[in-house]
Amino acid sequence: MFFKSYFDENLAQMSYLVGCQKTGEALVIDPARDVTPYLTTAEKEGLNITSIAETHIHADYLSGSRELASRTAAKLYLSDEGNNDWKYGFAENHNHQFLKDGEQFYVGNVKLEVIHTPGHTPESLSFLLTDEGGGSDIPMGIFTGDFVFVGDVGRPDLLEKAAGEAGTAEAGAKDMFKSLQRFKELPDYVQVWPGHGAGSACGKSLGAVPSSTVGYEKVNNWALNHDQEAPFTRELLEGQPESPNYFAMMKKLNKEGPALLKNQAVGEIEIEKVRDEVQRGSAVIDTRAKEDFAQGHLPGTINIPFNKAFANWAGWLISYDRDIIIISDESHVDDIQQALQSIGLDQLTGYVRKEAVAQKEGLEAYVSITADQLNEKFKDHEDYIIIDVRTQSEWDKEHMEDAIHVMVGTLPDRLDEIPEGKTPIVYCQSGVRSAIATSVLQANGYKDVLNLEGGFSAWKEYGGKTA
């Protein structure tokens, strides 16, 4: 048997390729939208991708199942569990098989047993793998998707928070408890291959180790140490991170079928045209480092540095009905386009070289202040308002006295909560998210906004008052 895992660090997403070397057939589980790595591996190993399986309808990234099926004519194996609202609408256009609990399918001599494991979503499946071609009659491992992670389990509240299905969070938590009882019955030696690692918003405390075993999780995973449903449900629902805005769109697109990639080259745009594009409603994303953006940027642009968090913040802040222009190093354009496409933001129309911005005159800028400057000059001044842009759980734990809370991802939709006639002073934990928030505020007319250098950590170290 051939086995390879793939990790997308931008989305903390895991996918897998399993091949039967005797028959030359291969299966891809939970493919990302960029299917090139799977095709490259298959060609290198002399395998033919004949099967594609999904553990559930994903909310945090755009699935590559339709893309891969279109390129390979592979058969789709998709869940037939859950209610009729969450069925795969695009399957009828491809060779497919809908799966229910207890069924099985083969990839060459590798057997996959289907286990219905609802909780994260009603249709969620796990796949228990046995390498019969290698002479084994006992399972080697289980692909858990967003059911069991290393050190955590999938959040059950996304249908309620992202898709608007009221009452589903608690029902999902109860389903998760029942599903975990089945998981506990698996042999301790069975390997656990999850759908995400640390950094994903599909859970609240995912481990950074890429795989585990059933036995290890029984001992170390908090969720598997609960024997009573009620306390488990309370702990699972408590403290879940905010659901990014784009999750609802991902659910919709993954259910209906993502558009096939066109792979059109992104052309360069003259810097003089950016102002017109902003006025036309285009989203112009400056992907430079926050320090460079602070020193000088084009009016109306927002700063989302191109790093591992780029796709997440783009999904939070960019509408799917707006054209996108990026300001970037020319060598990064293709990678940025791929990151945007991974969450369905396909409307990238052009780029501006970052060197052109650095050489431009008449740029906008913003000022960062220190904790002692904030305390001595601005904090109690009636013309200023302090805005905490961290998560709800961070705010609940501790925050700056007299601040208001507007999580950065929700800022574009909550500008009316910032009092008129006040100059915003923005802080997060360390100064990274507040830089993004500062750019959003400036792009929306708050030209004198101030950023707290070092964030709440610097304020604490200074000895500032907290609530």
Side-chain angles (χ1 to χ4, degrees):
M1 185 188 83
F2 177 83
F3 178 96
K4 183 176 177 62
S5 62
Y6 305 81
F7 183 68
D8 182 346
E9 65 177 13
N10 295 318
L11 299 166
Q13 180 247 340
M14 299 290 297
S15 55
Y16 303 88
L17 186 148
V18 175
C20 176
Q21 292 163 316
K22 290 184 178 180
T23 67
E25 298 169 84
L27 161 73
V28 179
I29 296 178
D30 287 338
R33 196 180 189 194
D34 178 19
V35 301
T36 304
Y38 317 116
L39 297 172
T40 301
T41 299
E43 182 178 7
K44 178 182 177 181
E45 300 297 331
L47 297 169
N48 182 31
I49 296 175
T50 58
S51 304
I52 304 161
E54 289 208 353
T55 55
H56 65 293
I57 299 174
H58 304 286
D60 57 308
Y61 68 95
L62 207 56
S63 166
S65 291
R66 185 187 178 205
E67 186 77 25
L68 191 56
S70 297
R71 295 200 193 184
T72 64
K75 184 176 181 178
L76 291 165
Y77 291 91
L78 306 169
S79 177
D80 196 28
E81 297 285 359
N83 59 51
N84 291 328
D85 291 335
W86 295 104
K87 302 296 184 183
Y88 291 86
F90 67 92
E92 62 183 20
N93 297 317
H94 301 276
N95 183 15
H96 71 278
Q97 180 179 334
F98 287 126
L99 301 172
K100 286 190 176 293
D101 183 64
E103 296 182 343
Q104 61 186 38
F105 64 97
Y106 280 81
V107 182
N109 297 310
V110 179
K111 181 174 74 172
L112 285 302
E113 298 177 65
V114 179
I115 305 175
H116 182 212
T117 49
H120 176 64
T121 61
E123 82 285 355
S124 291
L125 302 177
S126 294
F127 302 116
L128 188 66
L129 180 149
T130 302
D131 182 17
E132 293 184 353
S136 180
D137 59 359
I138 60 173
M140 174 188 292
I142 183 170
F143 298 98
T144 54
D146 291 14
F147 166 41
V148 174
F149 301 122
V150 178
D152 201 4
V153 294
R155 60 190 297 180
D157 59 329
L158 287 181
L159 288 184
E160 185 162 324
K161 291 181 178 178
E165 294 194 11
T168 55
E170 185 170 354
K174 292 178 179 178
D175 284 342
M176 179 66 76
F177 181 79
K178 295 181 178 68
S179 294
L180 288 173
Q181 308 318 303
R182 295 186 68 184
F183 180 85
K184 290 178 182 179
E185 295 173 359
L186 295 171
D188 285 354
Y189 59 78
V190 170
Q191 297 178 60
V192 176
W193 300 310
H196 290 286
S200 169
C202 288
K204 56 183 175 180
S205 56
L206 283 68
V209 177
S211 64
S212 185
T213 64
V214 171
Y216 187 86
E217 293 307 306
K218 286 180 184 178
V219 174
N220 293 286
N221 191 317
W222 71 268
L224 290 158
N225 289 316
H226 273 283
D227 294 323
Q228 301 295 321
E229 181 182 275
F232 167 82
T233 298
R234 285 195 298 270
E235 185 170 353
L236 179 59
L237 292 174
E238 183 181 19
Q240 289 291 354
E242 285 84 351
S243 171
N245 293 341
Y246 73 95
F247 274 23
M249 180 61 75
M250 290 302 92
K251 275 288 187 183
K252 178 179 184 293
L253 293 177
N254 283 326
K255 181 177 70 169
E256 296 175 354
L260 298 178
L261 291 173
K262 297 179 181 179
N263 293 323
Q264 294 179 338
V266 179
E268 184 176 353
I269 293 177
E270 296 179 3
I271 193 170
E272 288 75 15
K273 295 183 179 181
V274 171
R275 179 180 178 182
D276 291 339
E277 288 292 337
V278 169
Q279 292 179 343
R280 193 172 66 85
S282 296
V284 183
I285 307 173
D286 191 326
T287 67
R288 296 177 299 160
K290 60 185 177 68
E291 294 82 5
D292 294 333
F293 184 88
Q295 290 177 6
H297 55 268
L298 298 174
T301 63
I302 65 170
N303 182 213
I304 309 178
F306 184 52
N307 53 33
K308 290 190 294 185
F310 175 79
N312 176 66
W313 291 121
W316 267 110
L317 298 169
I318 306 301
S319 300
Y320 281 79
D321 58 356
R322 300 175 69 187
D323 287 341
I324 299 172
I325 295 170
I326 57 172
I327 296 169
S328 167
D329 188 311
E330 187 175 8
S331 64
H332 292 159
V333 171
D334 289 345
D335 291 334
I336 293 172
Q337 182 183 34
Q338 183 177 316
L340 291 170
Q341 289 174 338
S342 72
I343 57 169
L345 287 170
D346 294 349
Q347 60 274 26
L348 180 60
T349 60
Y351 75 95
V352 175
R353 290 181 297 109
K354 68 177 187 180
E355 295 85 0
V357 176
Q359 297 165 4
K360 179 82 172 168
E361 295 183 357
L363 298 175
E364 241 176 28
Y366 69 78
V367 175
S368 292
I369 60 173
T370 61
D372 59 334
Q373 289 175 321
L374 172 61
N375 188 59
E376 294 173 7
K377 184 177 180 181
F378 300 107
K379 187 176 183 300
D380 297 319
H381 198 294
E382 62 180 11
D383 292 336
Y384 295 88
I385 182 71
I386 301 172
I387 306 173
D388 185 324
V389 298
R390 300 176 301 160
T391 64
Q392 186 65 49
S393 59
E394 289 173 306
W395 167 268
D396 290 342
K397 183 178 180 180
E398 193 175 22
H399 55 267
M400 197 179 297
E401 201 176 48
D402 299 324
I404 65 171
H405 180 232
V406 185
M407 187 265 181
V408 58
T410 67
L411 190 55
D413 298 323
R414 298 174 60 189
L415 295 172
D416 58 349
E417 297 181 29
I418 301 173
E420 294 184 5
K422 300 273 190 179
T423 297
I425 301 173
V426 186
Y427 78 88
C428 62
Q429 192 64 32
S430 64
V432 175
R433 288 169 290 174
S434 64
I436 297 174
T438 297
S439 75
V440 172
L441 287 169
Q442 274 202 326
N444 283 278
Y446 296 87
K447 299 303 183 183
D448 297 324
V449 60
L450 301 173
N451 178 48
L452 178 59
E453 184 177 318
F456 190 66
S457 296
W459 181 251
K460 288 272 291 182
E461 184 176 345
Y462 171 75
K465 294 181 179 180
T466 63

